[in-house]
Amino acid sequence: MALSVGGCVSNVLDVDQRASQPIPIKLVSEMRSRAMSPADPIVVRIFKQESELEIWKRDRTGRYALLKTYPMCRWSGKLGPKTRDGDRQAPEGFYHVDAGMLNPKSQYYLSFNLGYPNRLEEALGYSGEALMVHGACSSSGCYALTDEGVAEIFAVARDALRGGQRVFQVQAFPFRMTPQNMAKNRNDPNYAFWQNLKVGHDLFNVTRQPPQVGYCGRDYAFAAAGTQGMPSEPLAACPPAFMAGDPLVAARQKDDERMVEQLVSAGTALRAHAYSDGGMHPLFRSQLERRGAQVLAKTTSLSSVPVSRPDAALADPHDPKAEQ
């Protein structure tokens, strides 16, 4: 699935007609109404449990705002990070995508490589390669959006990179990191890792800027955009300057932790979801239930790529109404 091409952006992006499709007029109009342009930088956020991918774009104020949310048709594995090749886990973490990681010749229509394993994951001994965001409704460690969805996302990413953004940040989370979800998953062995991810999640929410990402103490180290001297040795101790964190984020985290404790003490924290093998957005799951896997494959892929493990997708227990 991976495509390695050197040179300038145009050499990577103009190889195939699929990759040159323009951003839909409706979405360009939406950008303009929000004081954005196709050339403005983007941030991608992925939420496994909710099976949603968000595109955030920098507006005229210099801050990032949500442009559009896309339902994901399929992801595989369970909640938690990818640690080894073949575990079917879709990655969780912070990644940075450049033009050379866009793949106009993907077997799943179009795709971009997340860059797993990143520096932290590599230092921890995690293995795997060619972990993508792509089309169709099939996943073995990737995030699948449908051909139509990935074509739009690919075009938005391509134009942002052509506009001067060197890399765009992808933030992949197990779920929307609310106190309710943290409370439900407090007994999961990955909870400490998710608390670390939540620092970067909250920093973006507070500042509306993609955080600087470093590595130390076997964790991510986050700081406000533009911070210099980020730690880069994942297995080394964190410098004192990166232990305190951003005061606004620290205040938010204290509030969230207080709410988690209240939910647990009151006995209102719901049980965590258990996944057979990954999830599917309720929009697609309802189609799978009503019309079957073959019809869903035809509606999500121009080449009718089969839906991966449809029985497991139907077993996905996520109910968006329960999260409200």
Side-chain angles (χ1 to χ4, degrees):
M1 291 173 61
L3 177 70
S4 178
V5 181
C8 65
V9 173
S10 61
N11 287 340
V12 176
L13 302 178
D14 295 334
V15 175
D16 190 275
Q17 186 176 0
R18 290 174 297 182
S20 62
Q21 298 174 76
I23 300 172
I25 294 174
K26 183 178 179 180
L27 189 56
V28 173
S29 297
E30 184 66 24
M31 291 180 191
R32 290 172 178 164
S33 72
R34 300 187 186 192
M36 304 167 178
S37 77
D40 286 321
I42 64 169
V43 169
V44 173
R45 302 186 104 190
I46 296 172
F47 300 94
K48 268 187 184 176
Q49 178 173 274
E50 294 78 8
S51 296
E52 291 182 338
L53 181 149
E54 297 177 345
I55 298 288
W56 291 69
K57 203 161 182 55
R58 194 177 68 189
D59 62 23
R60 200 169 297 156
T61 70
R63 290 161 62 88
Y64 285 70
L66 178 62
L67 174 63
K68 187 170 180 177
T69 300
Y70 296 84
M72 290 193 296
C73 195
R74 204 73 177 91
W75 57 270
S76 60
K78 304 178 186 297
L79 300 186
K82 182 176 186 64
T83 61
R84 60 181 176 81
D85 192 26
D87 62 7
R88 293 188 59 80
Q89 286 289 102
E92 295 173 8
F94 281 68
Y95 306 93
H96 296 86
V97 178
D98 62 27
M101 297 162 73
L102 302 188
N103 185 0
K105 291 189 174 181
S106 170
Q107 65 182 24
Y108 296 106
Y109 194 64
L110 293 167
S111 66
F112 63 82
N113 194 322
L114 289 171
Y116 174 94
N118 62 25
R119 190 180 182 95
L120 173 62
E121 293 159 339
E122 192 170 36
L124 295 176
Y126 296 173
S127 62
E129 60 181 358
L131 279 301
M132 304 279 182
V133 171
H134 60 58
C137 194
S138 178
S139 171
S140 181
C142 296
Y143 292 106
L145 271 297
T146 78
D147 288 2
E148 181 181 7
V150 79
E152 191 167 298
I153 294 165
F154 190 99
V156 171
R158 176 201 65 213
D159 284 10
L161 292 170
R162 281 178 169 167
Q165 185 175 21
R166 187 179 63 83
V167 298
F168 64 88
Q169 190 174 91
V170 179
Q171 307 172 4
F173 302 107
F175 39 70
R176 296 195 178 276
M177 309 202 84
T178 63
Q180 292 79 8
N181 279 332
M182 296 300 287
K184 284 195 305 182
N185 292 277
R186 67 195 180 282
N187 294 322
D188 192 284
N190 295 300
Y191 190 73
F193 169 66
W194 293 337
Q195 285 181 307
N196 180 227
L197 290 187
K198 190 174 184 296
V199 177
H201 171 277
D202 292 350
L203 187 55
F204 179 78
N205 282 1
V206 169
T207 65
R208 288 292 191 264
Q209 298 284 347
Q212 292 289 100
V213 181
Y215 316 97
C216 62
R218 304 179 69 86
D219 276 329
Y220 291 99
F222 299 104
T227 301
Q228 301 296 315
M230 296 295 294
S232 59
E233 297 299 328
L235 304 183
C238 290
F242 290 91
M243 298 298 289
D246 185 279
L248 292 177
V249 174
R252 179 180 183 133
Q253 289 183 317
K254 284 186 178 179
D255 289 341
D256 284 356
E257 289 168 4
R258 191 177 303 113
M259 186 173 292
V260 169
E261 292 174 1
Q262 291 173 351
L263 290 168
V264 173
S265 298
T268 55
L270 302 176
R271 293 178 61 185
H273 295 312
Y275 291 86
S276 174
D277 183 11
M280 173 181 282
H281 193 277
L283 173 69
F284 299 111
R285 193 167 66 244
S286 65
Q287 294 181 35
L288 180 60
E289 289 174 330
R290 289 185 289 105
R291 307 177 69 186
Q294 289 186 343
V295 173
L296 183 60
K298 291 180 180 179
T299 60
T300 57
S301 167
L302 293 176
S303 56
S304 299
V305 174
V307 176
S308 61
R309 304 196 180 187
D311 290 343
L314 289 175
D316 168 15
H318 175 62
D319 180 0
K321 295 180 181 178
E323 302 300 319
Q324 298 176 355

